[in-house]
Amino acid sequence: MSNCNSREKIDGQLAIEGGKPIRSKPIPEESPGIHYMGDKEIEYVTRVVKARSPFRFYGPDVQHMCDRLEAKFREIYGVDHALGVSSGTQAIYISLAAMGVGPGDEVLVPGYLWPSCLNGVVRLGAIPRLVDIDETFTMSAQDLQKKITPNSKAVVLIHMSGVPGNLESVVEIARKSNLHILEDCAQCNGSTFHGKPVGTFGDIGIFSFQINKSVTAGEGGMIICSDDHLFNRCFGIHDLGYARNNTGILMDTSCDERYHLWGCGARMSELTGALALAQVEKLKQINSAMRSAKYRIRKDVEQIPGIVLRKIPDPAGDTGAFLITIYKDGKTCRQFTEALKAEGMTGRGYAKPCITMEEWGLHWYFNNKSLVNKKSLHANGWPWSLSENQFASAYKYARGTLPVCDDLASRAGLFKIPSCLTDDDIEDIILSFKKVANHVLR
Ligand SMILES: Cc1ncc(COP(=O)(O)O)c(C=O)c1O
C-alpha cells in the first residue's frame, strides 16, 4: 500500500464517529496452536486409536505418546524429569503438594494471575498471600521482599501473557528466604530468559495445553523438574498415590514407603499425549510467528506519544502472544480500545482480540470472588478457619490490596496476537493504532 493511501486512512474520520473502518473482516482467533493443527495431529491420534491403546501405562499396543511428549519437554527444557498431567490447574496443585504445602503455610502469588494459582493453594489447606506486580506485569521483587513472613513456604512465579518479568531478582529473594519456587509457564511455553528456558529457574515448572496456550491438546498439562524426590512425589500424587513398575503396574506394596501418598487422578491420556506431541513439535514455529508479528506491530506502536508499552526485560524470550499498551488514565484507555474495535479490531464469536485490561476478568485477583470472600468447599470454612491459619485472619483480597495491579488494570489495553497473521493483517493493526492515536491521543 502506498504511503499516501495509508496517510489518508490514518487521517480519515474515526469509524466510531461514522467514518470508514480500517478493516471489515475479523481478526483471526488468538488460540495459537489451533492454526497449526493438521496431518501430524491426525496421524498421531489415529495411531493411538488404531492400536486401541488410549491408556499410557498399559494396553494391547501402547504407542508411548505421553512418553514421547515428556522426552520432548526434557529435551526442550534441559531437565531430568517431565510428567504429563490432565491440566495446568492440576499441575499446580500436584507441584505444591509435592513441595509439602499445607495448613500453617502461605504461598506468595502475584495479583495478575489465573485462578488455578490460588486454587492449588487453598485446596491444600494453605493461604494465598498476594504480591503486587511491576511494569513487567509479573511479580514485583520489591513487594515480594516486603510480603515474606515466617509462614511463607513457597512462591508461585507466573510468567503472565507470554513474558517472564524480573525473574532473576524474584528468584534470588525467594532463594534467600528458603522458599520453594513454582514457575507457572502456562502462558509462556517455549519462552526463555536471557537464553535459559523458563520453568528451570525454580524447583518446578508447569505448563498447560488448554486451547488458549501456544500449543494445545484442548486440555492437559506438564510438570518439569530436576529434583528426583520432588518428581517421585509429583508422580504418586498425579496418579493413585503410588509409583508404577516398568510394566505400568501400581507398586502398592513394593514401592519406597516415602512415596506412599494420596493421588488425585490427574493422569494424561494417550490421546492428549498424541495431540500435544504433534503440537509441541511446532512450538518454535508457532512462537516465532507470533513474536515476529508482535515486534513488527510494537515497533510502530512504541513511536506513538501517549502510549507506554509493557516493560519486557528480555524481548528475545517473548512468546509474542500479547501486546500490552498503557494509557494515561482509564478513560483514555477505554476510548482508545472502543475506537480500535470500531476500526475492525474484533474477532468472531468468543474471540475478543482487543480489550481493556479492566475486561480481563479472573486474571485480576480482585475478580476472584472465591478468594475475596474466602470461600470454602466445606461448611466449616476450611482452610481459612483452621487454627494453623489464624496468622492470616487479617489478610484482605478485595480491590485496593495491590495498588500497582489496581492502577494497571484500570488503564492498560490488551491485544492478543494470533499465530497466523498475514502482512495485510499486521498492516491493518498498525494503521488502526495510528489512526486512533491520531484522534484520541492528540
Ligand atoms: C497462568 C495460568 N496458570 C494456569 C492455568 C491453568 O491451566 P489449565 O486450564 O490447563 O488448567 C492457566 C490457563 O488456563 C493459566 O493461564
Side-chain angles (χ1 to χ4, degrees):
M1 189 188 302
S2 72
N3 281 343
C4 165
N5 206 345
S6 310
R7 193 68 255 168
E8 254 172 49
K9 287 190 173 186
I10 293 169
D11 288 338
Q13 189 184 21
L14 282 180
I16 204 164
E17 290 165 358
K20 184 168 184 278
I22 295 278
R23 177 186 175 92
S24 52
K25 62 175 186 191
I27 298 284
E29 271 89 352
E30 68 185 272
S31 307
I34 60 171
H35 300 292
Y36 289 71
M37 278 190 172
D39 293 345
K40 249 289 142 15
E41 283 78 358
I42 294 169
E43 182 200 325
Y44 288 178
V45 170
T46 306
R47 265 203 237 166
V48 173
V49 176
K50 283 196 171 156
R52 297 190 165 82
S53 297
F55 185 56
R56 69 170 296 184
F57 292 117
Y58 50 80
D61 182 17
V62 179
Q63 299 296 299
H64 302 289
M65 293 296 175
C66 296
D67 291 340
R68 286 177 60 191
L69 175 67
E70 290 164 358
K72 191 83 195 147
F73 265 80
R74 290 195 298 273
E75 178 198 316
I76 297 173
Y77 287 94
V79 288
D80 292 343
H81 304 291
L83 178 66
V85 295
S86 58
S87 70
T89 305
Q90 286 295 67
I92 293 171
Y93 168 83
I94 294 160
S95 304
L96 293 173
M99 291 169 177
V101 166
D105 297 330
E106 66 182 6
V107 177
L108 298 130
V109 184
Y112 181 44
L113 46 57
W114 189 241
S116 318
C117 312
L118 302 163
N119 183 319
V121 178
V122 174
R123 283 196 292 144
L124 284 165
I127 297 290
R129 176 138 168 92
L130 292 174
V131 181
D132 216 339
I133 59 171
D134 58 23
E135 65 281 27
T136 66
F137 284 76
T138 66
M139 185 178 277
S140 149
Q142 281 83 355
D143 201 46
L144 173 64
Q145 183 75 72
K146 282 192 222 149
K147 296 283 170 68
I148 294 170
T149 74
N151 291 89
S152 303
K153 172 98 172 193
V155 51
V156 184
L157 182 46
I158 318 177
H159 306 314
M160 287 298 282
S161 308
V163 180
N166 290 313
L167 209 169
E168 278 163 343
S169 327
V170 171
V171 167
E172 194 187 326
I173 291 167
R175 288 273 180 244
K176 272 194 193 140
S177 301
N178 287 321
L179 301 180
H180 278 295
I181 303 169
L182 171 60
E183 284 179 77
D184 179 343
C185 313
Q187 297 190 11
C188 218
N189 195 356
S191 168
T192 53
F193 187 75
H194 297 309
K196 182 170 153 70
V198 295
T200 62
F201 288 81
D203 302 313
I204 299 185
I206 71 95
F207 301 83
S208 161
F209 302 122
Q210 183 265 345
I211 191 167
N212 298 106
K213 309 305 183 291
S214 279
V215 293
T216 182
E219 295 285 2
M222 183 64 66
I223 296 173
I224 60 167
C225 73
S226 286
D227 180 298
D228 296 346
H229 176 63
L230 277 178
F231 176 75
N232 288 335
R233 280 180 63 89
C234 285
F235 187 93
I237 296 165
H238 108 288
D239 192 1
L240 282 164
Y242 300 93
R244 286 183 185 261
N245 67 18
N246 55 12
T247 61
I249 304 300
L250 282 166
M251 292 158 65
D252 45 354
T253 50
S254 56
C255 89
D256 182 336
E257 272 198 35
R258 282 179 306 158
Y259 305 118
H260 289 179
L261 299 162
W262 294 105
C264 66
R267 292 182 302 253
M268 178 177 273
S269 127
E270 279 286 277
L271 288 166
T272 303
L275 257 184
L277 174 64
Q279 286 264 294
V280 169
E281 289 175 353
K282 302 168 192 170
L283 175 61
K284 265 199 174 150
Q285 196 189 345
I286 294 172
N287 282 352
S288 122
M290 291 190 293
R291 189 165 45 240
S292 103
K294 171 173 169 176
Y295 281 84
R296 280 171 66 189
I297 298 166
R298 215 175 179 264
K299 192 160 79 50
D300 281 278
V301 173
E302 74 187 346
Q303 309 294 331
I304 300 175
I307 296 184
V308 173
L309 294 176
R310 168 197 197 176
K311 189 168 165 213
I312 299 178
D314 178 24
D318 188 347
T319 69
F322 297 90
L323 176 74
I324 297 182
T325 46
I326 307 167
Y327 304 86
K328 71 174 185 313
D329 54 34
K331 185 165 168 254
T332 312
C333 177
R334 284 190 295 279
Q335 265 179 350
F336 201 97
T337 308
E338 287 312 311
L340 277 179
K341 288 182 193 168
E343 294 301 335
M345 300 296 106
T346 51
R348 236 187 310 260
Y350 74 96
K352 293 194 171 67
C354 170
I355 56 168
T356 64
M357 290 192 80
E358 199 61 77
E359 298 168 275
W360 207 205
L362 293 170
H363 287 93
W364 295 110
Y365 71 97
F366 49 76
N367 288 327
N368 285 264
K369 297 301 173 215
S370 305
L371 176 73
V372 172
N373 299 321
K374 300 188 179 176
K375 295 301 282 262
S376 171
L377 287 176
H378 195 273
N380 72 4
W382 188 96
W384 313 97
S385 57
L386 288 175
S387 58
E388 296 93 321
N389 289 338
Q390 288 320 295
F391 69 89
S393 57
Y395 285 8
K396 301 244 178 324
Y397 302 105
R399 194 167 191 156
T401 306
L402 302 177
V404 182
C405 276
D406 298 357
D407 176 43
L408 290 175
S410 74
R411 61 187 178 94
L414 190 78
F415 203 102
K416 301 168 193 165
I417 309 289
S419 58
C420 59
L421 290 180
T422 62
D423 287 347
D424 285 348
D425 294 332
I426 293 172
E427 175 151 3
D428 285 347
I429 296 170
I430 294 170
L431 286 179
S432 299
F433 268 95
K434 286 186 173 170
K435 181 180 176 190
V436 172
N438 213 6
H439 293 76
V440 173
L441 302 179
R442 206 188 292 187

